[in-house]
Amino acid sequence: FSREASSQVVTVPLRQENHLNLGGRGCSELRSCHCTPAWEQAQNSVSTNKQTNKILFDFLPVCIQKSFFYSSLNAKELQNYIELAEDQEFIRQTLPAKNLCAFIADGSILPRESGISSRPMKASVPFTSPDSLRISINLPHKGKITGMGIPKGITLIVGGGYHGKSTLLNALELGVYNHIPGDGREYVITDATAVKLRSEDGRFIKDVDISMFINDLPNKKDTRCFSTLDASGSTSQAAGIAESMEAGSHLFLLDEDTSATNFMVRDAFMQQVIQREKEPITPFLERAEDLYKKAGISTILVAGSSGAFFHIADTIIQMDNYVPKDITASVKNYAANILCLLFQLLIFSFRTAIAL
């Protein structure tokens, strides 16, 4: 054949099984297959080699020289980066001694410019810690800074919609990493072992012990060594917690919005309708205290609709127009008054029953 003839596109019918469809329950039919002549493949190979050589011997050496050679860097800026990193690590190492699991410095800018940007939002409200949770830390380079220390235990972050609850949790989630100068979250520091947990419907699970949360499944599967190709929301979250515990995490971060509802809590009415022996799930609400008291694992939970966690929370922070407020004492007093009223109502009902 001539070069002109061989350069024509050759099409052949092709039917191919769709391997993306697990179980082979479907197939896709491709109308044609493009066959590239051998001489054209060789030309493409030569072109690719030239591009690779240009990257390896022209572009990459310049990048290395500008990025890693001290003589190419701004000495003052480099020193600032080093000192900031050392200050950040100092805070992270200081947290256990102060019985804290996280720290957010006053003046931090937590919101981001957009959902796909890591730059700080302009004209946002700087973080201001409540007086009851404000602590000070003397850093090796920056000196004294103040901010909100979140104690170990169970911390509940509440508030109305769009008041900054999830923004605060996202900042804490990324607080396991050191941030660069100008990020706005330079001194938002979280326990290095912190893990953000969420429901992951459809995830793969292999030989994970989820019996702390799930038992007596109708299909008789052993939850002490559980495997599945398609986990439910509650099962996936239980597996995530078990895997995080095995990995050595000491801090769980959860958001009510991204958690499986039936995994997190079961209200009293549902417990009356569906008896415990018919429900294989032990909700996180009933395990959170034991996780901290027996395993030393703290929890920071964002909640906006359910008040079920109030009575077990050690610290309760309300986000009000992006400003945190410590409402632990007021909520505990309110809960105590409710219990007192219920107790008085119970006594009154008992006495009425006796009189009748």
Side-chain angles (χ1 to χ4, degrees):
F1 296 112
S2 66
R3 174 173 294 188
E4 290 76 11
S6 63
S7 64
Q8 301 300 313
V9 175
V10 181
T11 61
V12 295
L14 178 66
R15 182 176 179 84
Q16 176 177 310
E17 183 180 355
N18 182 2
H19 293 287
L20 295 178
N21 186 347
L22 296 178
R25 292 188 293 272
C27 61
S28 60
E29 184 172 345
L30 304 182
R31 296 300 180 184
S32 63
C33 176
H34 186 124
C35 299
T36 305
W39 71 268
E40 190 172 331
Q41 290 182 355
Q43 281 189 338
N44 291 339
S45 178
V46 171
S47 176
T48 301
N49 288 337
K50 288 181 178 179
Q51 293 175 358
T52 302
N53 289 339
K54 185 174 182 179
I55 292 173
L56 291 177
F57 299 107
D58 295 337
F59 179 72
L60 190 58
V62 174
C63 289
I64 293 175
Q65 184 177 9
K66 289 185 176 181
S67 301
F68 295 103
F69 283 36
Y70 181 80
S71 58
S72 301
L73 302 175
N74 184 305
K76 186 176 181 179
E77 287 185 1
L78 178 61
Q79 186 64 28
N80 290 338
Y81 273 80
I82 294 172
E83 292 179 355
L84 176 59
E86 290 178 347
D87 282 347
Q88 291 166 336
E89 285 304 316
F90 180 85
I91 296 174
R92 192 169 284 111
Q93 294 172 10
T94 301
L95 293 178
K98 294 183 175 291
N99 198 40
L100 301 175
C101 59
F103 173 81
I104 305 100
D106 289 329
S108 297
I109 304 299
L110 305 187
R112 298 296 93 186
E113 190 175 60
S114 69
I116 59 173
S117 173
S118 61
R119 290 178 292 189
M121 179 183 290
K122 297 177 181 178
S124 58
V125 178
F127 186 86
T128 305
S129 56
D131 293 337
S132 56
L133 295 175
R134 181 176 286 119
I135 66 168
S136 61
I137 301 178
N138 289 311
L139 301 180
H141 301 290
K142 186 176 179 62
K144 182 180 178 180
I145 65 170
T146 61
M148 182 176 77
I150 299 180
K152 293 181 179 180
I154 301 172
T155 298
L156 195 60
I157 302 175
V158 298
Y162 301 97
H163 278 254
K165 304 186 302 298
S166 295
T167 298
L168 174 57
L169 190 71
N170 290 339
L172 293 172
E173 175 188 353
L174 295 174
V176 297
Y177 307 110
N178 292 338
H179 295 291
I180 62 174
D183 178 88
R185 302 166 296 184
E186 295 93 325
Y187 299 106
V188 179
I189 307 296
T190 310
D191 184 307
T193 65
V195 176
K196 173 71 181 299
L197 297 163
R198 59 166 297 154
S199 168
E200 300 174 274
D201 298 58
R203 66 155 284 189
F204 171 77
I205 298 174
K206 178 65 174 176
D207 299 337
V208 179
D209 184 356
I210 59 173
S211 59
M212 177 188 297
F213 297 101
I214 300 178
N215 284 288
D216 303 322
L217 292 174
N219 59 12
K220 306 301 181 182
K221 271 192 173 183
D222 184 7
T223 58
R224 294 170 298 179
C225 187
F226 185 81
S227 299
T228 182
L229 294 174
D230 186 18
S232 66
S234 56
T235 305
S236 65
Q237 200 156 355
I241 290 178
E243 291 163 341
S244 299
M245 292 176 67
E246 187 175 354
S249 175
H250 295 293
L251 176 60
F252 292 161
L253 307 175
L254 297 103
D255 193 330
E256 182 184 69
D257 288 347
T258 57
S259 296
T261 304
N262 61 334
F263 174 78
M264 296 300 293
V265 64
R266 292 180 70 230
D267 61 33
F269 190 68
M270 182 60 74
Q271 293 181 34
Q272 293 298 318
V273 175
I274 306 298
Q275 300 299 318
R276 180 172 287 276
E277 59 269 18
K278 298 295 184 180
E279 175 54 73
I281 301 174
T282 301
F284 184 79
L285 174 66
E286 298 180 18
R287 296 298 193 203
E289 285 186 295
D290 286 341
L291 283 172
Y292 176 62
K293 293 177 180 178
K294 296 181 179 180
I297 300 175
S298 299
T299 297
I300 299 178
L301 170 66
V302 166
S305 61
S306 174
F309 285 87
F310 279 125
H311 71 280
I312 67 168
D314 301 304
T315 306
I316 304 171
I317 300 170
Q318 176 188 356
M319 294 302 293
D320 184 5
N321 288 317
Y322 317 112
V323 177
K325 297 180 179 179
D326 182 6
I327 60 172
T328 308
S330 61
V331 171
K332 295 295 185 182
N333 289 337
Y334 178 75
N337 291 336
I338 293 295
L339 290 176
C340 183
L341 289 173
L342 291 175
F343 183 69
Q344 291 175 358
L345 180 61
L346 181 63
I347 293 176
F348 176 78
S349 300
F350 179 73
R351 288 176 176 175
T352 302
I354 292 177
L356 295 175

